Amino acid sequence: MLPRVIPVILVEDGRAIHTVSFRYNLYLGDPINIARIFSDLAADEIVVLDRSRKETFLEAGNIEHLSRQINVPLSYGGGLHSRKSVTAAFSAGADRVVFRATCHECADLVPWTVAQFGSQSVTVCFNLNEPTKHRFLRKSPGLNDSIELAHNFVSQGAGELLFQDVKRSGKQEGPDFDSLGFLGSLFSTSVILSGGVYSITDIRKAVQFGFSGVAVSSKFSREASSGSPLVSYLSEEERKQLHP
Amino acid sequence: MSTYDRGREKGTYAILPIVEILGQLPSSNPVRAKIDRKIVSLSEDAALSNPSNDRLALVDVGVGNWSSLLSLLRRLGTQPVIVRHWKDLVACNRVILPGVGNFGSFSSALKTSGIWEEVRSSALHNAIPLLGICVGAQMLFDSSEESDAGEGLGIIPGVVKRLSPDLTKTIPRIGWDYLEVSRSAGLSEGVVESLTAPNRFYFSHSYFMSPTDRSVVKSTSGSSSNIPAIVSSSNIVGVQFHPERSSKYGASFLKAYLDGFFDAP
C-alpha cells in the first residue's frame, strides 16, 4: 500500500476552522468547498472531524452534499453517539466513521459498526498529550492507557487507529517521533499519525516508523508565510518523493 | 447541446429535473423514496420507447454506498437508474452492483429484495454485463469466510477468504495501490491504459477473492502482486477497489469499462 497523506478538515458549527493545540480558531471557509478542492487535487483521503456544539455537519445534511462533491475516500467523525447516527453517516456517503476512543458509547458502537459495515469502516481516534482545562475535569488517558485501549478496540475489530498529538497540532514543528514513533509498528491494523506533520521529511519518517499514513491540517490549509487560509495539497514533485 | 436537451432528444427529459431535486434531499427524507420510485418508472417508459437507450442499473439494497458512484456515472454521461427491487432490473441492459460492509448482510439484503435471483439470471442466461465493486465483486463468488450463512451469487466459481499477514502488512487493507495487469488478460487498450501506473486505486477490504480458475484474474495488487484486483469471466467483471473513490484514475477506468472491457476480436 502507498503511504496516505490525509488532509483533515476540522468543522465547528458548519465552518471549517484551523486550531493550534485544538485552540485559537482561525476561520478557513466552507467545508464542502475545501473538500471539493482537496478532491480535485487528488488527495489520498479526506477526514472531516466535527466538533460542533449544536447541530453537527452530518445532522444538517451537509455530509451528503460533501460526499457527492468528491471522488476520494471520506472519513467522518463527530456526534456519532448512536447506531442511528452511525447509519446516517454511511447513508450520507462516508466510507469510514471516526470514533473518539474516550466516547462512552464506543464500547457498544465499535463492535456493532464492525459487524454491520466491516472492520475497514471503523477508525478509532486517540488524543494524546491533551491539556486539561480544569484540574477537576477528567483527564484524557495517558499514552500507556491509550495503547491498552487501542489493543482492546483492535480486538473488537476496529480497522484503523488515529493518534493525534494535541500538543503538536497546528504548530508545524514536526511530529514527536521520539515519544510516538514506536506506535507505527505496534498494531496489526493501519495506524495514522497526526500532530505537527509539516514537511515531506516528516511524512517519509512516519512511513519509516511503520505508520500507514499521516493526517495533515496546517500544511494544506494555510499559506506558509502569512498564515492566511489557502487550500493546497502535495505537489507532483512531493508526490514523486513519496512514490518513487 | 446541454444535458437537458440531450435527455429531451432521447425521451428521458422527464427524469432529469427529478434527479436534480433528488440530489438536494437527504437519504432519510420520505419524499426521496417516492422520487426514486418515480425515476425508476419514468426511465422504464423511456427505455421502452427508445430500445437503443443503454439502460444502466445501479443496485441499492441499503448497505452499499451508491451515491458517490451515481455522481461519477452521471459525470461520465450515463443516466443510471437506482434499482431497489427485482422488477426494476427487468428492462436493464447493464448492471452495476456496488457493495460496502458485511458479506452476509449484503447477501441477505439482495435476497429480500429479489435482486439476488434476477441479477444471477440476467448475468448468466441473458449475458447482461455485470460489474461488481468491492463486496459486490466478492458476491459474485460461491461463499465468503466473512459469513457462514451468507450465500454468494455463485457466478464465478471460488470463495472469498480472509486476508492473512503473509499477503498484507495490515488487516484490513486500506489505501492506494498500483495494479499489475495480466498480459494474457485480453483487456481492451483503454482499460489497460486506465490501469497502468502512475494510475492508482483505492482499496478498503479485509477479505479477498480467490477464484477456482486463476485465469479469471485479470489484474492483481499487493507487494507481491498476489491479491486479485480484477476478476472477469465473459460478461461478468468484479473489481476489489473502489473506482468511485479512486479520483480521476477510477473515473478513467470506469469510462474505459463502459466503452468496452475486452479487446475486440
Side-chain angles (χ1 to χ4, degrees), chain B residues 127-192:
Chain B
I128 299 284
L130 169 63
L131 173 66
I133 296 174
C134 195
V135 179
Q138 296 178 356
M139 194 52 59
L140 303 174
F141 291 83
D142 300 319
S143 62
S144 169
E145 289 181 359
E146 188 176 13
S147 165
D148 293 335
E151 187 185 358
L153 290 163
I155 297 174
I156 298 178
V159 294
V160 177
K161 294 180 178 172
R162 185 166 169 76
L163 286 167
S164 56
D166 56 315
L167 288 171
T168 175
K169 191 182 143 206
T170 60
I171 302 169
R173 184 169 175 260
I174 301 170
W176 295 73
D177 207 357
Y178 299 121
L179 303 186
E180 189 81 34
V181 183
S182 163
R183 287 184 183 182
S184 58
L187 307 183
S188 69
E189 203 176 307
V191 169
V192 172

Side-chain angles (χ1 to χ4, degrees), chain A residues 14-204:
Chain A
R15 303 154 14 114
I17 56 166
H18 175 263
T19 62
V20 177
S21 294
F22 289 13
R23 294 176 182 176
Y24 319 120
N25 296 354
L26 167 74
Y27 174 62
L28 292 179
D30 173 41
I32 298 178
N33 282 345
I34 293 173
R36 175 68 187 261
I37 295 170
F38 280 134
S39 176
D40 289 348
L41 293 170
D44 290 335
E45 185 174 331
I46 295 170
V47 173
V48 176
L49 296 178
D50 192 329
R51 58 178 219 180
S52 304
R53 290 184 189 86
K54 296 175 187 170
E55 188 182 47
T56 65
F57 212 53
L58 173 67
E59 289 162 348
N62 286 325
I63 286 298
E64 189 161 2
H65 292 307
L66 187 151
S67 172
R68 284 167 188 258
Q69 295 289 322
I70 65 171
N71 57 5
V72 295
L74 171 67
S75 295
Y76 174 79
L80 301 174
H81 298 300
S82 65
R83 294 179 179 187
K84 196 178 165 191
S85 58
V86 171
T87 307
F90 285 114
S91 300
D95 299 286
R96 201 162 18 258
V97 289
V98 183
F99 294 110
R100 193 171 169 182
T102 49
C103 152
H104 291 298
E105 296 85 357
C106 268
D108 167 59
L109 285 180
V110 168
W112 180 81
T113 310
V114 167
Q116 293 297 312
F117 300 96
S119 282
Q120 73 285 347
S121 306
V122 177
T123 298
V124 181
C125 166
F126 296 81
N127 289 347
L128 304 172
N129 299 322
E130 193 170 22
T132 313
K133 285 179 187 168
H134 192 282
R135 64 196 174 99
F136 294 119
L137 288 179
R138 191 165 54 89
K139 269 190 168 182
S140 291
L143 184 57
N144 289 338
D145 289 341
S146 293
I147 290 170
E148 196 181 324
L149 208 52
H151 278 299
N152 197 23
F153 281 122
V154 170
S155 69
Q156 290 177 352
E160 186 161 272
L161 303 170
L162 168 63
F163 287 100
Q164 295 196 113
D165 184 349
V166 178
K167 213 170 172 181
R168 296 271 174 134
S169 168
K171 287 192 179 160
Q172 309 174 0
E173 294 170 346
D176 183 0
F177 287 115
D178 292 341
S179 309
L180 305 178
F182 73 101
L183 292 171
S185 54
L186 200 60
F187 303 93
S188 58
T189 57
S190 63
V191 183
I192 307 295
L193 179 65
S194 170
V197 179
Y198 199 71
S199 67
I200 287 295
T201 314
D202 293 340
I203 300 170
R204 292 180 74 165

Side-chain angles (χ1 to χ4, degrees), chain B residues 1-71:
Chain B
M1 186 188 288
S2 71
T3 312
Y4 193 89
D5 291 330
R6 279 200 297 275
R8 197 203 307 261
E9 262 193 8
K10 287 187 175 180
T12 56
Y13 65 93
I15 305 166
L16 295 170
I18 296 170
V19 170
E20 293 304 319
I21 296 166
L22 178 72
Q24 303 301 317
L25 291 173
S27 57
S28 54
N29 192 313
V31 177
R32 179 161 161 181
K34 285 184 186 173
I35 291 173
D36 282 351
R37 282 197 293 277
K38 190 68 182 170
I39 287 173
V40 169
S41 77
L42 281 169
S43 49
E44 247 171 25
D45 294 346
L48 290 173
S49 65
N50 182 6
S52 64
N53 191 23
D54 193 18
R55 192 163 184 265
L56 193 157
L58 186 58
V59 174
D60 168 36
V61 286
V63 292
N65 179 5
W66 54 269
S67 62
S68 47
L69 191 57
L70 178 67
S71 306

